[in-house]
Amino acid sequence: MLRKFIHILFLPCSKATMLMEKRNAKAISQKEDWQLSMHMKICKWCRAYEEKLKILDDILKRKLSQKENTEINESDIQGVKNKVLEKLNL
Amino acid sequence: MTKNEVLKSWVEQYSGPLLKRAAYLLSDKVEAEDLVQEVFLAAYSSYDSFEGKSQPLTWLTAILNRKAADFYRKKYKSDPEIRLDHFFDETGSWKNDGVLNDWNVSEKEPELLDNKDFSKILEDCIEDLPSRWKIPLKMYYLQEKKAPEVSQELKISATNLWKILQRSRMQLRECLDINWFTNL
């Protein structure tokens, strides 16, 4: 009960998890940062989530910067080349 | 070299990397092929603005990013409605304790991606996201987390980008939790 009350007063978890995104991208305002810090002090759920958020961010950083789709094969590439050369009349 | 010769050599050299990136961004081979054609058509018509200051592939990739953003904007004209009621109750508190599950990865984390099974599950979890979230998420990481650029290019508000990232990540957390971390 107290937990719910505090959450509503300070910041609900649904909003706190959004502010974590802003903090993660260093785009959080001072006031929001303070609100989030207060929230984290009293909420073990959001603390647990933030830990996983860091792991996810790290994994995604490495995964999503690989920039490649492996399902593309040589004949797909050749197909595109041909179409472009034809369209541009080269 | 004439303009036509240069363009021809670019098509030969860069169709591969561009197509792979486009397919990765859009998760759709056919749409990716169309996109790459548009990139070369645009490069042809704005060839004069290429001053040779950057590598051709860098310039072409910048065009590709813009075209991918156009594609996204055309496809999703209105702001998305992002519901969080799968995770939170009406007071905005967590609905269940799944988030407390111990992932226990601190030491093993660097090796996680080397694990083929984990990598596959992660890919599946990412691809399961709706494409209107997936594209911004991928662009966000491809552009080294420069949120203002991403929201500007995709013409979504900053707030909406945070919500998309939040919602995507909550889903990825749950997906990995179910399919990997508590399934070992």
Side-chain angles (χ1 to χ4, degrees):
Chain A
M1 194 55 210
L2 177 68
R3 176 166 78 93
K4 292 225 154 151
F5 176 71
I6 294 171
H7 280 193
I8 295 164
L9 197 69
F10 277 118
L11 195 69
C13 303
S14 51
K15 183 84 191 292
T17 47
M18 200 260 261
L19 292 186
M20 287 180 211
E21 296 294 337
K22 294 181 84 168
R23 182 187 264 172
N24 183 284
K26 300 189 174 63
I28 194 165
S29 76
Q30 230 171 9
K31 187 184 161 208
E32 289 170 332
D33 195 58
W34 180 81
Q35 278 184 312
L36 182 57
S37 301
M38 293 303 285
H39 182 96
M40 299 301 273
K41 280 197 178 113
I42 53 164
C43 183
K44 67 171 179 178
W45 287 264
C46 284
R47 280 202 299 275
Y49 179 70
E50 198 192 30
E51 268 176 40
K52 297 179 172 77
L53 195 75
K54 282 181 186 149
I55 298 168
L56 270 180
D57 185 50
D58 204 50
I59 293 173
L60 289 174
K61 223 181 272 171
R62 287 185 285 150
K63 185 81 189 169
L64 293 184
S65 55
Q66 288 169 1
K67 307 175 189 191
E68 288 207 351
N69 179 309
T70 44
E71 280 161 28
I72 297 295
N73 56 42
E74 273 311 309
S75 78
D76 297 326
I77 297 170
Q78 197 54 49
V80 168
K81 280 185 193 171
N82 293 343
K83 277 185 203 159
V84 175
L85 292 175
E86 191 186 330
K87 270 195 183 164
L88 288 175
N89 217 350
L90 294 174
Chain B
M1 280 207 287
T2 67
K3 173 178 168 180
N4 280 7
E5 285 166 349
V6 172
L7 252 300
K8 204 171 169 178
S9 76
W10 286 359
V11 172
E12 281 300 330
Q13 277 183 71
Y14 304 127
S15 288
L18 291 172
L19 184 61
K20 282 178 184 165
R21 186 176 174 117
Y24 163 76
L25 265 178
L26 305 183
S27 313
D28 185 301
K29 214 150 119 175
V30 177
E31 277 164 351
E33 287 174 1
D34 290 344
L35 197 75
V36 173
Q37 292 181 49
E38 281 183 42
V39 170
F40 281 116
L41 294 183
Y44 188 83
S45 57
S46 56
Y47 180 75
D48 292 338
S49 70
F50 175 70
E51 293 162 327
K53 279 182 197 152
S54 55
Q55 294 292 321
L57 184 58
T58 310
W59 188 64
L60 293 167
T61 304
I63 299 177
L64 181 107
N65 285 344
R66 273 203 306 279
K67 292 283 171 193
D70 287 345
F71 168 87
Y72 181 87
R73 288 204 311 269
K74 268 181 221 149
K75 196 162 174 187
Y76 306 110
K77 289 199 176 86
S78 57
D79 274 351
E81 191 204 352
I82 294 164
R83 298 170 61 103
L84 294 168
D85 54 356
H86 176 67
F87 302 100
F88 300 110
D89 65 18
E90 65 287 353
T91 69
S93 302
W94 292 90
K95 264 185 174 169
N96 67 61
D97 288 345
V99 70
L100 297 177
N101 292 341
D102 193 356
W103 280 8
N104 203 12
V105 287
S106 40
E107 322 87 65
K108 290 172 277 173
E109 196 200 312
E111 295 135 50
L112 261 181
L113 281 181
D114 298 333
N115 183 318
K116 284 207 168 65
D117 295 329
F118 176 79
S119 220
K120 177 78 179 73
I121 288 172
L122 175 62
E123 277 163 29
D124 290 345
C125 287
I126 294 171
E127 290 309 317
D128 274 348
L129 295 171
S131 60
R132 76 180 313 169
W133 304 346
K134 195 164 43 184
I135 294 174
L137 181 76
K138 286 179 175 176
M139 290 186 92
Y140 179 69
Y141 279 99
L142 276 182
Q143 306 195 12
E144 286 145 11
K145 296 170 61 176
K146 291 188 188 99
E149 278 88 337
V150 173
S151 61
Q152 207 173 19
E153 278 180 6
L154 297 176
K155 295 270 189 302
I156 47 182
S157 67
T159 307
N160 261 313
L161 180 61
W162 302 127
K163 286 185 179 166
I164 287 171
L165 294 174
Q166 172 197 20
R167 184 65 179 76
S168 307
R169 222 177 309 248
M170 303 206 74
Q171 186 159 325
L172 289 177
R173 199 275 310 159
E174 188 177 66
C175 185
L176 291 177
D177 195 74
I178 294 168
N179 294 299
W180 180 261
F181 290 108
T182 56
N183 196 26
L184 291 176

